[in-house]
């Protein structure tokens, strides 16, 4: 069998190169003449224990040892590279839509290229290039968007015609193609051998590797990893790395303190053939045909072809699985549609002899992105798993970023899209995971246009108003498991039409959202924003204030009832969170953060707040429904419902007061809207939510009230130049780089985290600047829309990417937000970005290869603000809200 052949090849090369490994394995395998000596005993302690000897575990060991950590033990329950890594198709592809994944794959490619020379272990590295085919115009647009990103990163890439496809790969049937993307530097490797090469280098650097050693559980005391229990004894350690692949979920749940790692295995099939009569050239490009759901690569003169079928087969839901992955059952009926797609794409294969249909488990995650980072509940417990069938492409880069994270406390790039803490416990239900991966696996090939949503695992976290809003035409999206309204379909609209309006161009909801925006500006709208993360922090003395003053950059020692917008910064001054904090009393604070901050922010604060029984932090997200009343008539609605004056003199901007609304008491009313428009957010105890909503809607009838959704909010906040955390702001962005100096009090009299970095930036200048772009020559009806991630060009040179964009119904133009860098034309070195540099450039935004002129602004249009306020009160608060 081919799988056994691959295994045998790896085994022979590995054992030949490393005779000492025979002594370190814990099983006593018999040879033809003598038994092997007993295994080397495990060390009693180590700094780091890594579980898993596949591509991820060996990559982490390699990079940690390269960076200077030597006291490392890698444990493998079977033999090295004997899990999913052994069966991996070995395609190293950089064509990735998510920026951080693209960077990981690019680094992996460069690493594997020189690995054989470094280690002496043959890796089978062959630079073949790859061709991604497009059968539709929409698919070609998605490829053009990826090509734009690759080109500005310096990765050669071009969009080619069907005829050029035929020149590169003569066996391809091109009759139904509209174009393709060619990436000449993509490569093929032997995945198992890459893993063995990484292990060789790690071993030379002092890493101890023990095969045939199973980890039963990790011990945690006082929230920190203290050791690892194995079937061969205990190892005390400071750090544990779970690289157990499809077993990562079970291993995470094996300890007293569960670590939730949401991934689930599916069967993954690929075909191996005998060589062609004229064996295929080893340098023939890999072909990816996403519309046919297949990939095709050369394999020893024949073909290796697999794919992602529409009806995947999840497995091991009950947790049963094999030690090493034995070849699962062939299933030709199941593989049939993929085989048909292969023969349509390469008709010349009809007479080819098939060697084997390989079936192996592959791990998938709930959002199709891999999982890395530190556990929110156990310090020192790191995870790298859930590669969604791209393990060999990500292996090098992912191992590097995780090693940096462990050694420095943070990686060298923003990895939030991959951070374990983007998930909560709710994504760890086996039923949820089983259903979600059945959707995720086909999505690997499906066309993903902007704003698409998952269909499985929905209606998990809902506001008490869900049914009420749904009956009024709400269309839903999901964030961190929470259902949120996109927009409301007016009566009489074709609902089916809107549910299927998936496009890169002007969407069908354009006029609907426009009407909601108009209502926000002229009358009053209600948006249910219950999904926000809400914490209460209180103390018996001044502990709460003192702690928060250190952890937040703005001054929180404000009069009771005031609301402060502030960043929660790291040592480098970057945003770990961007939030609003209301001072409820001298010793009590109410903190509002983005929806997906619930796990991350809790862990960040828990790890940094003093261990003091008199200091209490409580997650009250579920206790309150939040209604955002936006618009000039919000003040009228609220004053009539509360019999209290709500005008600016009585209820100033950025103020918080507990009030009665209708019959309900204890409603926290804040004079912010996260959009720059006038209005209020009501934080309502959930048992009163329906009553207050009904009262607001009834009272608002005479003022033209209507429901609105997050798409309207997005349009309003972007035209006001408000940045959102997680989209525009991240751990590598400081307040100085995005015009938020007024939210930082450098002289507040107490030290705060990130202060030194900000003082340095204030003195030396910044190396990137958050900028607003208004598209000039863009036709909203006919041209492709910008969404996010589009390259920005200044005077014809690449300077950065957009981070978010929306159509401004007020300006009647598209507005893009993004960061501008200043690269030295000769050396590429980053230089300080000045106001003059921004203002004196001619800008273009690249949308799928087409450039549109844009006007750059560093400040919002003042005419868009409905009322003038003091500079430090201007509500640049739309920050985090997506």
């Amino acid at each position: 069998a081919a799988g056994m052949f691959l295994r045998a090849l790896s085994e022979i090369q590995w054992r030949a190169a490393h005779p000492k490994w025979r002594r370190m394995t814990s099983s006593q395998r018999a040879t033809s003449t003598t038994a092997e000596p007993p295994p080397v005993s495990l060390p009693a302690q180590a700094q780091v224990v890594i579980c898993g000897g596949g591509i991820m575990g060996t990559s982490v060991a390699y990079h940690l040892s390269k960076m200077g950590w030597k006291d490392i033990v890698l444990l493998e329950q079977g033999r090295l590279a004997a899990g999913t890594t052994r069966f991996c198709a070995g395609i190293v592809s950089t064509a990735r839509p998510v920026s951080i994944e693209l960077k990981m794959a690019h680094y992996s490619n460069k690493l594997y290229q020189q690995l054989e020379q470094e280690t002496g272990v043959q890796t089978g590295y062959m630079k073949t290039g790859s061709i991604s085919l497009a059968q539709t115009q929409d698919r070609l647009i998605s490829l053009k968007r990826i090509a734009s990103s690759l080109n500005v990163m310096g990765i050669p890439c071009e969009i080619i015609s069907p005829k050029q496809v035929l020149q590169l790969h003569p066996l391809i049937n091109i009759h139904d193609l509209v174009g393709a993307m060619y990436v000449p530097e993509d490569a093929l490797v032997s995945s198992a051998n890459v893993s063995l090469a990484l292990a060789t280098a790690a071993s030379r650097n002092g890493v101890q590797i023990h095969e045939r050693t199973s980890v039963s559980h990790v011990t945690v005391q006082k929230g920190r990893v203290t050791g690892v229990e194995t079937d061969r004894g205990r190892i005390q350690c400071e750090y544990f790395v779970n690289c157990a692949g499809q077993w990562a979920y079970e291993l995470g749940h094996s300890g007293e303190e569960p670590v939730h790692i949401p991934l689930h295995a599916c069967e993954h099939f690929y075909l191996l053939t005998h060589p062609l009569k004229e064996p295929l050239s080893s340098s023939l490009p890999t072909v990816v045909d996403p519309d046919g759901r297949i990939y095709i690569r050369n394999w020893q003169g024949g073909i290796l072809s697999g794919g992602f079928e529409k009806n995947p087969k999840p497995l091991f839901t009950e947790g049963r699985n094999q030690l090493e992955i034995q070849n699962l059952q062939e299933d030709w009926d199941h593989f049939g549609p993929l085989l048909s797609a292969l023969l349509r794409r390469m008709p010349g294969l009809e007479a080819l002899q098939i060697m084997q249909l390989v079936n192996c488990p592959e791990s998938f995650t709930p959002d199709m992105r891999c999982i890395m980072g530190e556990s929110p509940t156990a310090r020192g417990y790191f995870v790298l798993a859930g590669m969604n069938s791209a393990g060999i492409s990500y292996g090098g880069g992912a191992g590097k970023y995780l090693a940096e994270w462990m050694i420095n406390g943070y990686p060298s790039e923003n990895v939030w899209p991959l951070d374990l803490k983007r998930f909560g416990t709710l994504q760890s239900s086996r039923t949820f995971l089983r259903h979600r991966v059945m959707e995720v696996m086909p999505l690997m090939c499906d066309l993903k246009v902007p704003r698409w949503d998952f269909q499985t695992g929905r209606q998990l976290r809902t506001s008490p108003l869900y049914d009420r809003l749904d009956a009024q035409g709400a269309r839903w999206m999901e964030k961190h498991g929470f259902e949120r309204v996109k927009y409301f379909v007016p009566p009489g609209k074709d609902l089916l039409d809107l549910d299927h309006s998936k496009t890169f161009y002007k969407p069908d909801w354009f006029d609907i959202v426009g009407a909601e925006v108009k209502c926000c500006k002229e009358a009053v709208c209600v948006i249910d924003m219950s999904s926000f993360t809400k914490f209460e922090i209180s103390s018996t003395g001044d502990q709460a204030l003192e702690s928060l003053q250190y952890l937040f950059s703005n001054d929180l020692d404000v009069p009771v009832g005031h609301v402060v917008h502030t960043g929660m910064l790291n040592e480098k001054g970057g945003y770990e969170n961007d939030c609003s904090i209301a001072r409820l009393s001298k010793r009590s604070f109410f903190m509002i953060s983005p929806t997906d901050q619930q796990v991350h922010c809790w862990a960040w604060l828990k790890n940094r707040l003093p261990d003091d029984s008199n200091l209490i932090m409580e997650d009250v997200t579920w206790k309150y429904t939040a209604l955002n009343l936006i618009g000039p008539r919000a003040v009228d609605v609220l004053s009539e419902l509360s019999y209290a004056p709500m005008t600016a003199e009585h209820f100033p901007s950025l103020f918080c007061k507990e009030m009665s609304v209708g019959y309900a008491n204890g409603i926290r009313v804040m004079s912010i809207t996260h959009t720059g428009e006038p209005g209020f957010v009501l934080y309502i105890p959930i048992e009163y939510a329906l009553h207050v909503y009904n009262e607001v809607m009834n009272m608002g009838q005479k003022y033209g009230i209507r429901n609105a959704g997050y798409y309207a909010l997005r349009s309003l906040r972007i035209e006001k130049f408000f940045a959102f955390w997680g989209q525009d702001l991240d751990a590598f962005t400081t307040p100085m780089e995005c015009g938020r100096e007024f939210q930082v009090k450098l002289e507040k009299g107490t030290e705060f985290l990130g202060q030194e970095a900000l003082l340095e930036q204030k003195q030396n200048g910044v190396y990137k600047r958050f900028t607003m772009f208004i598209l000039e020559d863009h036709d909203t009806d006919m041209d492709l829309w910008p969404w996010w991630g589009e390259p920005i060009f200044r005077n014809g040179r690449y300077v950065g990417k957009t981070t978010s964009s929306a159509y401004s119904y007020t300006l009647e133009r598209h507005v893009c937000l993004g960061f501008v860098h200043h690269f030295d034309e000769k050396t590429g070195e980053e230089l300080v970005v000045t106001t003059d540099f921004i203002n004196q450039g001619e800008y273009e935004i690249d949308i799928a290869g087409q450039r549109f002129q844009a006007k750059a602004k560093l400040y919002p249009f003042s005419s868009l603000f409905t009322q003038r306020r003091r500079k430090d009160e201007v509500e640049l608060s739309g920050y985090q809200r997506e």
Side-chain angles (χ1 to χ4, degrees):
M4 293 309 293
F5 167 77
L6 287 170
R7 157 66 72 66
L9 180 68
S10 302
E11 194 76 5
I12 291 161
Q13 290 175 336
W14 177 244
R15 309 292 157 188
H18 306 282
K20 71 172 184 175
W21 233 276
R22 289 196 294 271
R23 296 194 300 275
M24 293 182 69
T25 56
S26 66
S27 67
Q28 299 201 6
R29 303 180 198 130
T31 65
S32 55
T33 53
T34 58
E36 290 191 12
V40 175
S41 59
L42 296 182
Q45 61 183 66
Q47 185 182 11
V48 182
V49 173
I50 300 168
C51 176
I55 185 70
M56 294 302 147
T58 53
S59 178
V60 172
Y62 170 85
H63 286 96
L64 283 174
S65 63
K66 274 260 181 184
M67 293 176 195
W69 281 16
K70 306 295 184 189
D71 187 11
I72 299 166
V73 175
L74 188 152
L75 306 177
E76 163 55 46
Q77 64 175 348
R79 285 178 290 176
L80 286 173
T84 300
T85 300
R86 166 166 69 110
F87 286 103
C88 181
I91 299 167
V92 183
S93 165
T94 48
R96 307 285 166 183
V98 180
S99 174
I100 185 64
E101 292 179 341
L102 193 159
K103 288 174 180 174
M104 289 197 306
H106 183 47
Y107 173 83
S108 297
N109 196 339
K110 289 193 296 186
L111 173 68
Y112 303 158
Q113 200 169 347
Q114 53 85 36
L115 204 53
E116 193 169 318
Q117 189 181 352
E118 181 186 341
T119 63
V121 177
Q122 290 185 351
T123 59
Y125 184 90
M126 172 69 72
K127 194 175 284 186
T128 60
S130 72
I131 309 169
S132 298
L133 309 179
Q135 294 181 31
T136 66
Q137 286 299 332
D138 268 352
R139 177 69 69 182
L140 192 59
I141 290 165
S142 74
L143 294 178
K144 286 177 177 177
R145 287 179 64 88
I146 292 171
S148 293
S149 293
L150 289 169
N151 282 323
V152 297
M153 275 192 67
I155 300 170
C157 171
E158 58 180 314
I159 298 297
I160 59 175
S161 68
K163 281 185 180 174
Q164 289 171 295
V165 171
L166 199 59
Q167 290 165 6
L168 289 165
H169 202 308
L171 295 178
I172 294 293
N173 171 15
I174 63 168
H175 80 278
D176 58 348
L177 301 182
V178 297
M181 176 175 70
Y182 177 49
V183 185
E185 292 190 355
D186 279 356
L188 296 177
V189 293
S190 161
S191 310
N193 287 10
V194 167
S195 191
L196 297 172
L198 292 168
T200 301
S203 177
R204 286 175 188 162
N205 282 332
V207 175
Q208 295 184 54
I209 300 178
H210 295 265
E211 296 179 299
R212 302 289 185 192
T213 307
S214 294
V215 173
S216 57
H217 67 273
V218 179
T219 55
V220 177
Q221 289 177 4
K222 295 183 179 175
R224 277 209 76 95
V225 167
T226 57
V228 176
E229 296 287 350
T230 80
D231 58 352
R232 295 175 54 208
R234 174 180 167 79
I235 307 175
Q236 282 185 295
C237 62
E238 298 171 52
Y239 297 92
F240 175 75
V241 190
N242 183 338
C243 296
Q246 60 164 323
W247 295 281
Y249 177 96
E250 275 78 20
L251 181 56
H253 279 82
S254 64
E256 291 173 14
E257 276 283 332
V259 174
H260 300 285
I261 304 165
L263 53 80
H264 196 294
C266 277
E267 295 182 31
H268 180 54
F269 296 88
Y270 62 77
L271 185 74
L272 293 164
T273 76
H274 289 285
L276 278 72
K277 279 182 185 168
E278 269 189 50
L280 289 179
S281 161
S282 60
S283 60
L284 207 61
T286 297
V287 175
V288 180
D289 182 2
D291 297 309
R293 319 190 75 80
I294 55 170
Y295 56 83
I296 309 161
R297 58 157 284 193
N298 160 67
W299 187 73
Q300 298 184 0
I303 289 289
L304 182 159
S305 177
F308 300 96
E309 62 274 22
K310 286 185 176 180
N311 55 332
K313 296 167 71 176
L315 74 168
F316 306 147
T317 302
E318 299 84 5
R320 293 195 306 271
N321 48 33
Q322 304 132 302
L323 183 66
E324 289 175 30
I325 302 167
Q326 306 307 322
N327 206 3
L328 298 166
Q329 294 301 305
E330 291 185 346
D331 188 340
W332 283 103
D333 290 341
H334 193 77
F335 191 72
L338 299 180
L339 181 58
S340 300
L342 171 64
L343 295 175
R344 275 196 306 275
R345 189 54 59 213
M346 295 178 75
L349 298 183
E350 284 279 7
L352 199 61
Q353 274 191 305
I354 289 166
M355 182 187 288
Q356 187 190 8
L357 180 62
V358 179
N359 174 5
C360 66
E362 187 62 75
S363 297
F364 295 88
T365 64
D367 61 0
M368 294 188 297
R369 299 198 298 266
C370 73
I371 296 171
M372 69 159 64
E374 189 174 19
S375 158
T377 53
R379 300 294 302 273
Y381 191 123
F382 284 82
V383 178
L384 185 56
M387 293 295 136
N388 301 283
S389 201
I392 197 66
S393 291
Y394 298 154
K400 171 178 177 272
Y401 290 142
L402 195 78
E404 290 172 345
W405 201 332
M406 292 172 68
I407 291 172
N408 304 324
Y410 47 84
S412 56
E413 295 280 350
N414 172 36
V415 295
W416 171 248
L418 315 177
D419 195 328
L420 171 64
K421 292 186 282 294
R422 72 188 187 272
F423 295 119
T425 54
L426 55 99
Q427 284 98 352
S428 276
S429 146
R430 289 311 266 173
T431 308
F432 167 82
L433 287 170
R434 182 181 175 88
H435 291 176
R436 176 57 67 85
V437 297
M438 289 174 75
E439 178 183 13
V440 157
M441 195 167 163
L443 275 169
M444 303 296 291
C445 289
D446 287 351
L447 185 69
K448 290 176 281 296
V449 298
R451 312 273 180 248
W452 61 273
D453 300 294
F454 288 108
Q455 301 304 306
T456 53
R458 296 294 297 271
Q459 298 180 32
L460 190 56
R461 301 174 76 195
T462 58
S463 152
L465 307 177
Y466 179 87
D467 288 340
R468 187 91 166 73
L469 301 177
D470 198 54
Q472 295 177 77
R475 284 292 166 271
W476 301 93
M477 59 182 177
E478 170 254 337
K479 185 80 167 184
H480 202 61
F482 220 115
E483 296 293 329
R484 315 198 307 177
V485 181
K486 296 191 275 194
Y487 49 80
F488 286 83
V489 180
K493 269 271 184 190
D494 186 344
L495 308 188
L496 200 65
D497 228 27
L498 275 164
D499 283 345
H500 293 93
S501 61
K502 296 181 176 178
T503 177
F504 290 101
Y505 289 90
K506 178 181 175 181
D508 289 355
W509 44 256
F510 180 81
D511 292 329
I512 293 174
V513 174
E516 291 179 6
V517 167
K518 188 171 189 285
C519 187
C520 286
K521 289 183 170 292
E522 296 176 2
V524 57
C525 273
V526 179
I527 303 181
D528 183 345
M529 298 175 75
S530 303
S531 66
F532 283 6
T533 297
K534 300 174 273 288
F535 295 165
E536 283 179 8
I537 300 158
S538 57
S539 59
T540 52
D542 292 335
Q543 300 97 322
L545 177 63
E546 287 168 6
S547 301
L548 296 182
Q549 284 285 63
Y550 174 68
L551 292 171
F552 293 89
S553 59
N554 210 337
D555 190 357
L556 297 177
D557 194 3
V558 292
V560 170
H562 282 241
V563 181
V564 176
H565 296 310
T566 180
M568 182 174 86
L569 310 181
N570 54 37
E571 287 83 355
K572 298 170 297 172
Y575 281 99
E576 292 295 333
N577 185 9
D578 189 34
C579 51
S580 311
I581 298 180
R583 191 168 193 180
L584 301 178
S585 71
K586 284 282 186 190
R587 295 166 181 172
S588 175
F589 297 84
F590 185 50
M591 176 179 169
I592 316 297
S593 303
T595 303
D596 50 4
Q597 275 278 1
Q598 191 166 13
V599 178
H600 172 70
C601 181
W602 180 269
W604 179 269
L605 290 174
K606 264 289 183 206
N607 291 335
R608 286 160 183 80
L609 287 171
D611 189 10
D612 184 343
S613 59
N614 295 313
L615 179 63
I616 298 162
M617 179 169 70
E618 185 186 1
D619 185 344
V620 294
T621 301
W622 61 276
K623 285 188 177 181
Y624 293 95
T625 296
L627 290 182
N628 195 350
L629 269 63
I630 304 175
R633 307 313 298 266
V635 63
D636 301 308
V637 174
L638 213 50
S639 59
E640 285 200 45
L641 278 174
S642 61
Y643 290 95
M646 302 296 294
T647 53
E649 307 86 68
H650 298 94
F651 209 115
S653 177
L654 299 177
F655 197 67
C656 173
K657 190 154 64 173
E658 223 168 71
M659 299 173 60
S660 301
V661 177
Y663 297 154
N665 274 321
I667 312 291
R668 288 177 186 168
V669 179
M670 294 191 197
S671 48
I672 56 174
T673 62
H674 314 297
T675 61
E677 302 297 329
F680 306 88
V681 179
L682 279 56
Y683 289 96
I684 308 157
I686 55 168
E687 65 266 35
Y688 300 145
L690 205 53
H691 168 75
V692 172
Y693 173 77
N694 290 336
E695 291 288 300
V696 165
M697 294 306 284
N698 291 336
M699 184 61 73
Q701 290 299 316
K702 59 184 174 185
Y703 299 110
I705 200 166
R706 68 182 288 168
N707 291 299
Y710 272 79
Y711 283 11
L713 187 88
R714 179 185 289 125
S715 174
L716 290 167
R717 73 94 177 170
I718 285 176
E719 71 180 19
K720 297 291 190 345
F721 200 12
F722 289 179
F724 276 28
W725 188 88
Q727 198 162 337
D728 308 303
L729 307 180
D730 58 41
F732 289 80
T733 306
T734 75
M736 304 298 182
E737 294 163 348
C738 59
R740 298 275 187 93
E741 296 91 333
F742 64 93
Q743 290 184 12
V744 175
K745 297 293 182 282
L746 289 167
E747 313 300 332
K748 65 179 177 179
T750 61
E751 268 187 57
F752 64 86
L753 205 54
Q755 187 174 19
E756 278 183 36
L758 297 187
L759 284 167
E760 194 177 312
Q761 279 194 332
K762 189 177 181 183
Q763 188 174 338
N764 301 334
V766 295
Y767 291 89
K768 63 179 179 182
R769 192 75 187 267
F770 195 49
T771 309
M772 178 182 191
F773 298 95
I774 295 90
L775 294 191
E776 300 274 273
D777 57 345
H778 184 269
D779 186 324
T780 305
D781 294 317
M782 302 304 294
D783 288 327
L784 283 169
W785 275 31
W787 295 96
W788 61 85
E790 291 86 11
I792 302 164
F793 290 87
R794 178 188 181 274
N795 299 345
R797 291 178 61 82
Y798 171 70
V799 289
K801 280 187 175 181
T802 64
T803 49
S804 56
S805 67
Y807 182 80
S808 165
Y809 295 88
T810 315
L811 301 170
E812 297 184 341
R813 289 272 188 284
H814 253 100
V815 177
C816 300
L817 309 182
F819 285 92
V820 171
H821 300 251
H822 183 184
F823 301 109
D824 185 280
E825 292 192 22
K826 289 175 183 164
T827 64
E829 181 192 355
E830 284 208 63
L831 304 173
V832 169
V833 177
T834 61
T835 305
D836 285 348
F837 180 79
I838 301 285
N839 292 336
Q840 289 167 10
E842 297 284 327
Y843 291 90
E844 292 170 305
I845 307 292
D846 177 320
I847 306 175
Q850 187 179 353
R851 294 189 189 181
F852 295 91
Q853 290 178 1
K855 184 178 181 182
K857 285 180 69 66
L858 282 170
Y859 303 99
F861 291 89
S862 56
S863 58
L864 287 176
F865 286 92
T866 47
Q867 59 195 82
R868 307 292 289 179
R869 302 185 179 112
R870 292 202 324 271
K871 188 181 177 189
D872 63 342
E873 278 194 351
V874 169
E875 196 209 319
L876 287 171
S877 61
Y879 44 80
Q880 68 257 24
R881 307 308 183 201
E882 279 206 5

